[in-house]
Amino acid sequence: MKKNRKNLALLLLAASLLAGCAGQSNSQSSQSSQAKSEKKAESKASSKSAAKSAASSAVSSTKSSSSQASSKSAASSSQRADANRMGTLTSQLRVKLPGMLLPAADGLGQGGSNLNIRYTSSSSQNVVYYSVGNSPLALNDSRIASEKPYAVLTEKKNVADASSLINYQEPKTGLPAVKIASNVTGTEEGAAGSTYLQFNQGQWSFVVRASNVQGQKPLPTAQKLLSLYQQYGLPDTAAKSSVQVDVGESLGSLNTVITWAKGSSVYQLKAHSTETAFKMLKSLS
């Protein structure tokens, strides 16, 4: 009898242990299932977030591309308007001043849509004034006279002695040498509170004047001048010609003066910016 009871107790204990193991297994299975559900939900949320981010990025990229295209289009339209303005006025000038060499480019970086031109003409010379106003005006409108020109082109006709007007400078000797570029050397001298740096290229003499009083140095301007000459060139001329530049650029200063001969005429372009002058002369015809 005791033996039977002992066996029964052992059976009950075994059954209890089996029930505990089954419950633990079910609990682990439930936790695993729950974890899988949570991971799946997180994965879906992450996918949605990534999709939303990609869509937002695509929209932003599209807007940026559209904005850039719009800016380029506006700049292109502005450039065309500037070119058309210069072209229209130059065509009118060619009728008024037949035979005179005229630039096809205004030489400006911006503001060409408000370009204005006036001129004077006589038997001995033609003078053309280029300026930028508050609005575009007709050729030779009287109001243009009150605008400061950024460039002035003069043609002196039937000149007997061109050299007296051109002021070409022969290469100097016996003066301190200044290296302007690897293959270009100039000379420097001081006079009347200024320093003059000169170099020569072909038929052209280049002279840069710097004010000692204002603490100016001629070399940086001379280096820029040489670079512009190498980039744009200058008008063809059989006579010796000159470029003179005062250091410092400001509206209306006309600190760059380029003079050359063409046939029986002597031309001179004065400009407030050396680069503007070179750009205009590059388009001369």
Side-chain angles (χ1 to χ4, degrees):
M1 186 73 175
K2 284 183 179 178
K3 190 175 182 179
N4 289 337
R5 285 180 181 175
K6 190 174 182 180
N7 290 337
L8 180 60
L10 289 171
L11 287 172
L12 288 173
L13 178 60
S16 176
L17 288 172
L18 288 171
C21 288
Q24 186 175 0
S25 175
N26 289 338
S27 174
Q28 289 176 346
S29 175
S30 175
Q31 289 175 356
S32 176
S33 176
Q34 184 177 354
K36 286 181 180 180
S37 297
E38 288 177 352
K39 283 185 178 179
K40 189 178 288 185
E42 287 177 1
S43 177
K44 285 183 179 179
S46 177
S47 297
K48 285 183 179 179
S49 176
K52 186 179 289 185
S53 177
S56 176
S57 177
V59 170
S60 177
S61 177
T62 301
K63 285 183 178 179
S64 177
S65 298
S66 177
S67 176
Q68 289 176 358
S70 178
S71 297
K72 286 181 179 179
S73 177
S76 178
S77 296
S78 176
Q79 289 172 353
R80 285 196 299 271
D82 293 355
N84 289 341
R85 175 70 179 162
M86 181 65 174
T88 298
L89 292 172
T90 301
S91 294
Q92 296 172 7
L93 266 179
R94 293 194 190 283
V95 175
K96 303 292 184 182
L97 306 173
M100 181 179 180
L101 293 175
L102 295 169
D106 58 29
L108 299 171
Q110 59 184 2
S113 57
N114 286 335
L115 170 72
N116 291 317
I117 297 177
R118 67 183 180 91
Y119 71 92
T120 61
S121 182
S122 68
S123 59
S124 61
Q125 71 174 20
N126 298 320
V127 185
V128 182
Y129 302 85
Y130 297 85
S131 60
V132 174
N134 295 321
S135 61
L137 301 172
L139 179 68
N140 247 23
D141 188 295
S142 60
R143 289 170 289 181
I144 301 175
S146 63
E147 298 175 355
K148 284 186 177 181
Y150 71 83
V152 179
L153 178 62
T154 301
E155 177 195 19
K156 291 188 179 294
K157 297 180 277 188
N158 303 315
V159 176
D161 182 14
S163 61
S164 63
L165 298 173
I166 292 176
N167 195 30
Y168 172 85
Q169 300 292 308
E170 294 288 350
K172 301 287 196 305
T173 58
L175 293 173
V178 177
K179 191 171 185 178
I180 299 170
S182 59
N183 59 342
V184 179
T185 301
T187 56
E188 187 175 87
E189 65 178 324
S194 298
T195 299
Y196 295 84
L197 178 53
Q198 177 186 332
F199 63 95
N200 292 61
Q201 295 284 286
Q203 292 285 83
W204 294 84
S205 67
F206 299 80
V207 177
V208 175
R209 185 188 74 85
S211 169
N212 297 335
V213 176
Q214 297 180 40
Q216 297 173 340
K217 302 297 181 183
L219 181 57
T221 299
Q223 290 172 328
K224 178 184 177 182
L225 181 55
L226 176 61
S227 176
L228 289 171
Y229 171 67
Q230 292 172 338
Q231 180 179 356
Y232 294 103
L234 284 167
D236 291 333
T237 175
K240 292 179 177 180
S241 304
S242 70
V243 179
Q244 296 172 291
V245 178
D246 283 356
V247 175
E249 296 179 353
S250 59
L251 183 61
S253 63
L254 304 180
N255 281 348
T256 295
V257 182
I258 302 174
T259 314
W260 74 101
K262 184 71 173 179
S264 62
S265 293
V266 171
Y267 285 87
Q268 184 178 84
L269 178 65
K270 294 182 178 181
H272 82 284
S273 160
T274 306
E275 185 169 1
T276 292
F278 275 84
K279 286 180 177 179
M280 293 179 76
L281 293 181
K282 177 70 174 178
S283 67
L284 204 67
S285 63

